[in-house]
Each structure stands twice: as structure tokens, then as C-alpha cells.
């Protein structure tokens, strides 16, 4: 992906999240100098497998597993500090030294325990299927201009005053939502006092660091979390997360201008999955859905929930290509389809009897669409050890060609297993 003119690339999920961004970023980070997370928070679960070890990274960019890579957590992330440190500790325990390689934007907002209580309480009425990590309430506070940011910890007295007001307000809301839970101010204060001395040395003007790196032509990967259909503007609203998961969010959330970004790689699974609620037009009927789930190990990395599984939905990926301005695709988990005799692809929808090639804005309409399927022959042989496109079975290449044609963007990578080396560069 990187060349003399392409030094800053954004990597985004182009479906409903869980497309395998962690693995792709890990593979690409070998050639990068900086990897930046720019939105979302501990709701993400980026899985990377190295040898026998599996790492699930929630907030720390997947590039951290390469010793030469510097990682930034941008201003657009909502940071859960307690979780960050357990993630850091577990990396250190497993021999990954992060010293001097991780910086957190001092403008990033904090996710605090009261956000999780509010998330749980609103989930009772809204039933969106959130991860329960307090993401929505933390972004609500940010945009309501009452968030607490990393920078506020520099004046702990001030943070304490802010907390008093915020915890009081959270408890009023909890009462209003008929929750019996209450946030405890003393526990919040004690937590921030305990964590501030560890967090502040990592705090930096991350946007400035990134700007300087871009100016110096350093190789930068902007690592998106979740997927296009979970974007608060472009996704299947209200069954979305609370940030801009699409490429536009990268500039804002990392603190650079959009003109600094040279290309966009969209990660798509060779089929479709979603965790959480809301319509999923190409959801496979039993027993195919169950078979995809079993073969693909489709259980949420953060919540352990079984993922809903279905066939590749080209309408979704075409839409994601457009709203992200993608310049390439990485197709992951092709090997999961190895044993299927026939593989349907949803090429477009039928809505109220009419053919429809674009995503409807209304979630109710998306719930009513009938996918139009084209059925391709499976290859029924293992692909996990293939390293060249030309060596893939003919039917697998035909499948990839069809995905590429329907999505309108070239396939640049194909992942054929969880290991680092199980990747084909086209
Ligand atoms: P929240 O981000 O926890 O508020 O959850 C909102 C929606 O986004 C729910 O449907 C979640 O299941 C989904 N979601 C959030 N993060 C991820 C992710 O990393 N992968 C897949 N789905 C996610």
C-alpha cells in the first residue's frame, strides 16, 4: 500500500465491524512508522494472532505489536483508562515493551464508570445491543460539552469539581431511567487520583506529533474501529455506535486535515457478520448461518456474544466504498468458505417490488428488503497455505473477481487464516 506518494493510509471496516482490521493493521504495520486509533474506544476488539499467542486489543492500536512502531490514541477516541492499563499490563506480561511508543491525545475524552451505568440503563429501553462499555453516554457528554478530558487530569482539583457535577447529573438521569444503580462520587475521584499519575506521562498533543510525522513523509496507518454500517451518520441508525467510523472521521479524530490522507483500505469479510441488533439483509438461514459461525469462530471479541452470520452483501460494500472513498479492499477469512459447495452473494436488494442498488436511509426499509442473490460455485479445497493469487482455486479467484466488480474497488489483500503469514498481496 505504501509508496513514495502514499504515506498516510486509513484502514476502515466496510461492513458491521469485526472484519479483521486487527490482523490487517498488524500485517501492514510492519511497514509503518506510526499507527493511530482515532474513534471509538473499548467497544472495539482487534484480534491479532502471533504464533501461539492471541492478542485482543481494545484501545491500543494494533501496531503496538511491532517494536519499531509508535502508536497514538487520537482525540476522537473515548478512553477508558482502567481498561487501557490492564491492556498495557497484559502486553508487558507477554513481553511487548511499549515504553516510549504509546501516546494519548490530551484532548481525548474519558469514559468513566458512570457512563457504563447510563449505557446499561438506556439499553433497557433502547435495546440497541451495545457493548455496554459506556461509549454512547461518553460521546453524549463530549457533544453536550460536559465531558472530562485527559488534559483535565493535569489539574486534579478541577477534575474533582467536574466529577462532582457529572456524577450528580448521572445519578439524576439514572433515577429518571428508573435504574436502581447509582454512581459513587468518592469512587470516581479515587479512581482518577490513582490513574492520573500513570496516564499523564502518556498524554501528548497527538495531532501535532502526527502532523510532524506526515510532514516528514513517515508512513502512517490510521486504524479505524467498528465498520461503516455502524457509523453514526452513515450506518443503520439507530443501530450504530456513537462515532464516525468512516474514513472522514479519521482526520477529525486524529487531528490532521483530510488532505493529509492518501488512500483508504476497506476491510471486508468474505461473508457478512454483525453483533448487536438491527436489520441484516443477507443473514443466512439455518444451518448455513450456524456453519459460518462455527467455521469462522464468530463470537464477539469484547462481549463473547455469538455473531449473526450471512452472505456477502455487495450493496453494503458498494455503499461503504462510496462513503469512505476507498482505494482498495482487503478480503478476510476467505478460508472460512473453503468447504461450501455453493456461495451466494447478495448483489442488490428488492424493495417494495423494485430493484434497489443503494442503501435505504430508513432502518425499517432495510428490514424489509429482499436480497437478490447470485450463487457462485465453491472451491471445496483448503486455501490457508496459499500465498499467491494465481495459486488460489479457480472458483475462489472467480469469487474475489465478482466481489471486486460488485464493490467497484480493487482487492489488494486476501487473508486466508488468522496467522500473520496467511495473507495474499495481489
Ligand atoms: P456501542 O458502540 O457499544 O455503543 O454499541 C453500538 C453498536 O455497535 C452495537 O450494535 C454493538 O454491537 C456495535 N459495536 C460496537 N463496537 C463494535 C465492534 O468493535 N465490532 C462489532 N460491533 C461493534
Amino acid at each position: 500500500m505504501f509508496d513514495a506518494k502514499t504515506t498516510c493510509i486509513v484502514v476502515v471496516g466496510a461492513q458491521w465491524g469485526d472484519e479483521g482490521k486487527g490482523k490487517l493493521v498488524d500485517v501492514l504495520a510492519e511497514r509503518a512508522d506510526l499507527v493511530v486509533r482515532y474513534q471509538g474506544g473499548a467497544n472495539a476488539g482487534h484480534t491479532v494472532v502471533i504464533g501461539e499467542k492471541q492478542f485482543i486489543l481494545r484501545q491500543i492500536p494494533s501496531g503496538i505489536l511491532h517494536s519499531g512502531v509508535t502508536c497514538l490514541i487520537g482525540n476522537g477516541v473515548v478512553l477508558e483508562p482502567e481498561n487501557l492499563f490492564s491492556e498495557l499490563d497484559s502486553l508487558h506480561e507477554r513481553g511487548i515493551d511499549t515504553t516510549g511508543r504509546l501516546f494519548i491525545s490530551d484532548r481525548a475524552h474519558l469514559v468513566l464508570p458512570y457512563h457504563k451505568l447510563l449505557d446499561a440503563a438506556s439499553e433497557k429501553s433502547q435495546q440497541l445491543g451495545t457493548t455496554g462499555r459506556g461509549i454512547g453516554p461518553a460521546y453524549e457528554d463530549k457533544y453536550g460539552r460536559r465531558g472530562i478530558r485527559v488534559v483535565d487530569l493535569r489539574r486534579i482539583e478541577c477534575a474533582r469539581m467536574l466529577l462532582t457535577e457529572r456524577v450528580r447529573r448521572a445519578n439524576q438521569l439514572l433515577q429518571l431511567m428508573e435504574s436502581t444503580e447509582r454512581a459513587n462520587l468518592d469512587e470516581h475521584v479515587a479512581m482518577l487520583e490513582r490513574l492520573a499519575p500513570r496516564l499523564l506521562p502518556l498524554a501528548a498533543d497527538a495531532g501535532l506529533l502526527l502532523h510532524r510525522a506526515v510532514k516528514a513523509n513517515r508512513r502512517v496507518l490510521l486504524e479505524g474501529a467498528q465498520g461503516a454500517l455502524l457509523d453514526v451518520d452513515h450506518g443503520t441508525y439507530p443501530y450504530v455506535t456513537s462515532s464516525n467510523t468512516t474514513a472522514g472521521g479519521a482526520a477529525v479524530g486524529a487531528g490532521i486535515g483530510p488532505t493529509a490522507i492518501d488512500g483508504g483500505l476497506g476491510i471486508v469479510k468474505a461473508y457478512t457478520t454483525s453483533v448487536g441488533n438491527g436489520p441484516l439483509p443477507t443473514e443466512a438461514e439455518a444451518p448455513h448461518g450456524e456453519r459460518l459461525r462455527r467455521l469462522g469462530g464468530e463470537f464477539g471479541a469484547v462481549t463473547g456474544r455469538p455473531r449473526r452470520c450471512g452472505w456477502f452483501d455487495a450493496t453494503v460494500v458498494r455503499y461503504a466504498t462510496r462513503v469512505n472513498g476507498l482505494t482498495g479492499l482487503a478480503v478476510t477469512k476467505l478460508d472460512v468458505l473453503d468447504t461450501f459447495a455453493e456461495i451466494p452473494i447478495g448483489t442488490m436488494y428488492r424493495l417494495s417490488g423494485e430493484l434497489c442498488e443503494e442503501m435505504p436511509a430508513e432502518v425499517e426499509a432495510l428490514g424489509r428488503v429482499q436480497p437478490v442473490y447470485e450463487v457462485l460455485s465453491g472451491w471445496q479445497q483448503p486455501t490457508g497455505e496459499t500465498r499467491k493469487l494465481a495459486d488460489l482455486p479457480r472458483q475462489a479467484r472467480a469469487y474475489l473477481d465478482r466481489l471486486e466488480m460488485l464493490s467497484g474497488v480493487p482487492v489488494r489483500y486476501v487473508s486466508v487464516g488468522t496467522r500473520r503469514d496467511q495473507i495474499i498481496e495481489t
Side-chain angles (χ1 to χ4, degrees):
M1 282 299 276
F2 291 116
D3 60 37
K5 286 202 178 138
T6 312
T7 55
C8 182
I9 296 167
V10 57
V11 178
V12 288
Q15 292 161 323
W16 273 274
D18 306 317
E19 298 91 350
K21 294 176 290 293
K23 168 170 173 177
L24 253 294
V25 170
D26 173 62
V27 168
L28 297 174
E30 199 182 350
R31 301 169 217 170
D33 299 303
L34 252 84
V35 180
V36 189
R37 268 286 304 271
Y38 57 83
Q39 45 72 225
N43 51 348
H46 292 172
T47 307
V48 182
V49 178
I50 303 172
E52 299 296 299
K53 293 185 186 168
Q54 187 189 61
F55 298 84
I56 296 178
L57 297 161
R58 291 182 177 180
Q59 303 189 91
I60 299 177
S62 306
I64 202 77
L65 303 173
H66 292 272
S67 58
V69 172
T70 299
C71 290
L72 304 180
I73 294 182
N75 55 277
V77 167
V78 284
L79 184 84
E80 191 187 313
E82 196 108 72
N83 171 268
L84 176 87
F85 292 124
S86 53
E87 209 171 303
L88 266 178
D89 290 342
S90 113
L91 284 173
H92 290 167
E93 275 162 28
R94 300 171 82 181
I96 308 285
D97 185 6
T98 64
T99 318
R101 296 201 292 122
L102 177 69
F103 299 96
I104 297 163
S105 170
D106 48 14
R107 290 170 169 84
H109 283 247
L110 296 177
V111 181
L112 296 168
Y114 68 81
H115 291 123
K116 290 193 195 169
L117 296 180
L118 290 168
D119 199 355
S122 63
E123 192 56 9
K124 282 212 176 103
S125 56
Q126 282 195 294
Q127 306 222 327
L128 300 175
T130 75
T131 59
R133 309 299 304 205
I135 302 296
Y139 278 114
E140 277 178 46
D141 276 357
K142 170 175 171 168
Y143 292 107
R145 293 159 296 180
R146 54 179 173 267
I148 300 181
R149 302 190 299 169
V150 171
V151 71
D152 293 321
L153 300 184
R154 292 207 177 116
R155 290 185 299 135
I156 200 79
E157 263 314 307
C158 156
R160 212 175 284 138
M161 268 167 53
L162 289 175
L163 265 182
T164 310
E165 159 55 25
R166 305 307 183 249
V167 168
R168 189 185 58 78
R169 187 174 181 282
N171 283 336
Q172 283 173 345
L173 284 174
L174 286 166
Q175 188 169 13
L176 210 64
M177 290 192 275
E178 295 176 359
S179 165
T180 53
E181 298 278 4
R182 292 293 176 270
N184 182 304
L185 176 62
D186 293 339
E187 280 172 21
H188 277 76
V189 171
M191 187 186 103
L192 283 195
E193 285 179 347
R194 177 168 49 83
L195 296 178
R198 202 171 167 197
L199 193 55
L200 286 173
L202 303 177
D205 186 340
L208 179 62
L209 296 180
L210 181 57
H211 171 79
R212 287 183 177 148
V214 168
K215 284 277 165 217
N217 278 330
R218 310 273 306 280
R219 292 170 165 203
V220 175
L221 277 180
L222 303 165
E223 178 182 5
Q226 291 89 41
L229 276 290
L230 290 173
D231 183 287
V232 68
D233 284 270
H234 302 294
T236 42
Y237 194 89
Y239 299 101
V240 293
T241 190
S242 299
S243 62
N244 283 116
T245 60
T246 45
V252 178
I256 48 173
T259 47
I261 303 174
D262 303 310
L265 182 70
I267 317 297
V268 291
K269 244 177 225 174
Y271 49 98
T272 298
T273 63
S274 164
V275 65
N277 303 340
L280 188 64
T282 59
E283 188 161 12
E285 287 171 13
H288 301 300
E290 179 53 41
R291 188 168 163 203
L292 285 168
R293 185 176 310 120
R294 181 171 43 79
L295 292 169
E298 297 296 354
F299 295 89
V302 173
T303 58
R305 289 179 290 181
R307 294 178 184 145
R308 298 157 68 195
C309 298
W311 308 114
F312 188 88
D313 187 336
T315 312
V316 162
V317 179
R318 231 177 0 250
Y319 176 65
T321 299
R322 169 162 68 84
V323 295
N324 282 294
L326 297 180
T327 51
L329 281 187
V331 178
T332 63
K333 291 192 149 184
L334 185 73
D335 56 300
V336 172
L337 300 179
D338 282 352
T339 57
F340 285 81
E342 292 189 324
I343 310 173
I345 298 178
T347 56
M348 59 180 96
Y349 301 142
R350 198 174 282 284
L351 178 58
S352 308
E354 303 278 318
L355 287 178
C356 160
E357 290 192 66
E358 300 296 338
M359 286 295 293
E362 252 183 311
V363 78
E364 179 275 332
L366 192 66
R368 281 190 294 118
V369 298
Q370 300 289 322
V372 176
Y373 285 111
E374 185 176 302
V375 180
L376 272 66
S377 301
W379 41 97
Q380 297 191 281
Q381 49 180 298
T383 54
E385 297 313 312
T386 310
R387 298 292 175 268
K388 285 195 200 126
L389 198 64
D391 294 341
L392 279 175
R394 179 177 50 80
Q395 298 89 334
R397 274 183 285 134
Y399 185 71
L400 291 169
D401 286 348
R402 196 65 187 127
L403 299 195
E404 183 171 284
M405 181 167 285
L406 289 165
S407 311
V409 67
V411 172
R412 306 294 304 273
Y413 297 91
V414 183
S415 171
V416 288
T418 50
R419 294 197 321 263
R420 257 182 186 170
D421 66 301
Q422 290 179 298
I423 191 103
I424 299 170
E425 193 167 348
T426 68

